[in-house]
Amino acid sequence: MALLPLLFFPDPRLQTVAKPVPAMDERIRRLVADMLETMYEAKGIGLAATQVDVHERVIVIDVSEQRDQAVVLINPQVVWNSSTTHLNEEGCLSVPGIYDGVERFDAVTVSALDGTGQSRVVQAEGLLAVCIQHEMDHLLGKVFVEYLSPLKRNRIKKKMLKAQREDAR
Ligand code: NI
């Protein structure tokens, strides 16, 4: 296993639309293992392949307190969502230090392959539902700050670019 380097907003590669995974094979199993290691190391609750510059439909999530309930979603499709939404405070490993409110469905049902290539249906609510929607946006090339006002987004962009310049020194 290996830690994978993350892309940071506003890196244009984060806008790439991911392609479906063609087949579960050793390459995808390794990608999933590396993404899980990277997510746990960064203390994140979710990670999309897009964020490690792999543009295929793979997501890993763990919203448990004990960090022992990994959810792997390959080629996820939303098959149902609730009619109700709520505003949730979100952050993202690709936008470190920034948290803001995003409107999300209260509940979603997703069909996907799991980490072993088995078909499964996940009925999610609460934090897991929010996280699934956030990560599925990444696969469409969308970072959560794009839901914020242009003014806020530009302020975040400037802040991130400044931090990246300082890190590069
Ligand atoms: Ni994110």
Side-chain angles (χ1 to χ4, degrees):
M1 297 215 293
L3 290 176
L4 303 169
L6 289 166
L7 300 181
F8 294 104
F9 181 79
D11 192 312
R13 289 172 289 181
L14 286 169
Q15 295 170 25
T16 312
V17 176
K19 294 190 172 70
V21 170
M24 267 308 280
D25 56 13
E26 196 43 45
R27 183 181 67 90
I28 297 298
R29 273 187 283 276
R30 179 171 307 162
L31 173 64
V32 166
D34 289 348
M35 283 175 61
L36 282 167
E37 190 182 355
T38 303
M39 176 184 73
Y40 286 127
E41 170 71 21
K43 299 186 165 50
I45 60 171
L47 185 68
T50 311
Q51 295 174 273
V52 294
D53 203 20
V54 175
H55 302 287
E56 292 178 76
R57 294 180 62 79
V58 178
I59 289 170
V60 297
I61 292 174
D62 191 340
V63 295
S64 70
E65 291 280 331
Q66 290 76 25
R67 317 291 284 146
D68 59 359
Q69 304 208 20
V71 176
V72 176
L73 300 174
I74 295 165
N75 296 342
Q77 303 277 0
V78 172
V79 294
W80 177 84
N81 59 256
S82 60
S83 54
T84 52
T85 62
H86 71 288
L87 194 66
N88 184 75
E89 179 103 327
E90 292 185 23
C92 179
L93 291 176
S94 291
V95 200
I98 304 292
Y99 301 89
D100 215 320
V102 177
E103 199 78 32
R104 300 287 189 187
F105 295 117
D106 291 331
V108 291
T109 301
V110 173
S111 75
L113 301 181
D114 68 13
T116 66
Q118 297 292 310
S119 251
R120 57 177 293 196
V121 172
V122 179
Q123 291 178 300
E125 54 180 23
L127 185 56
L128 179 60
V130 169
C131 195
I132 287 174
Q133 292 169 80
H134 175 115
E135 302 311 331
M136 286 188 72
D137 271 353
H138 275 302
L139 300 181
L140 296 173
K142 191 162 186 177
V143 178
F144 84 99
V145 297
E146 281 162 48
Y147 290 104
L148 308 178
S149 70
L151 185 73
K152 265 191 185 172
R153 190 166 55 249
N154 278 325
R155 203 177 291 154
I156 292 167
K157 195 184 278 186
K158 276 187 195 149
K159 191 174 172 182
M160 294 292 301
L161 288 170
K162 183 165 181 274
Q164 288 161 23
R165 274 197 304 275
E166 280 164 7
D167 281 354
R169 268 181 210 153

